[in-house]
Amino acid sequence: QVQLVESGGGLVQAGGSLRLSCAASGLTFSNYAMGWFRQAPGKEREFVAGISWNGGRTEYVDSVKGRFTISRDNTKNTVSLQLNSLKPEDTAVYYCAAGSYYYRRGLNDYDYWGQGTQVTVSS
């Protein structure tokens, strides 16, 4: 049974930082590209960042470039998202997902999903 479990969300002031982590089990982690998505209230879930199976390539949505950094540790089966210079518009539930291509941004491009972790940025 595949499980992706996110952690690290919370409440932070604008300009602050958070580090999200996602622990994977039940799959051969190094065979998968990993992605982070987010869903704000009343909005569709959107792609935030993706990373290739070996961490060599990354992809970001324009709104987070230079502020967020995705990374992975295949020895620990974890993928992380460092969130810096947070803005109120970054408030959302953040999800990690496993798929085949790190640059794909569609929900259907990912096979497995976590339950999400809430990030709230106050102004």
Side-chain angles (χ1 to χ4, degrees):
Q1 180 183 356
V2 176
Q3 282 194 313
L4 301 177
V5 180
E6 301 95 337
S7 61
L11 173 63
V12 64
Q13 288 187 333
S17 298
L18 284 174
R19 186 174 181 85
L20 307 183
S21 293
C22 172
S25 60
L27 76 171
T28 304
F29 185 70
S30 59
N31 284 355
Y32 287 86
M34 298 298 295
W36 283 95
F37 288 72
R38 66 186 179 186
Q39 187 167 17
K43 295 189 176 181
E44 295 185 349
R45 193 173 300 189
E46 65 169 353
F47 174 86
V48 175
I51 189 166
S52 61
W53 67 273
N54 65 351
R57 297 187 177 185
T58 58
E59 177 84 358
Y60 297 92
V61 68
D62 285 349
S63 60
V64 308
K65 284 181 180 177
R67 300 189 299 122
F68 292 7
T69 303
I70 189 172
S71 60
R72 68 188 294 162
D73 185 340
N74 286 352
T75 67
K76 297 181 179 179
N77 287 5
T78 58
V79 60
S80 299
L81 187 67
Q82 179 68 40
L83 289 64
N84 295 333
S85 302
L86 281 161
K87 304 175 181 180
E89 52 263 44
D90 294 317
T91 295
V93 178
Y94 284 71
Y95 300 87
C96 70
S100 298
Y101 304 99
Y102 72 97
Y103 51 85
R104 292 278 178 89
R105 302 188 177 200
L107 303 185
N108 291 336
D109 293 320
Y110 290 80
D111 302 314
Y112 304 106
W113 292 84
Q115 293 300 306
T117 186
Q118 176 71 47
V119 171
T120 303
V121 185
S122 63
S123 56

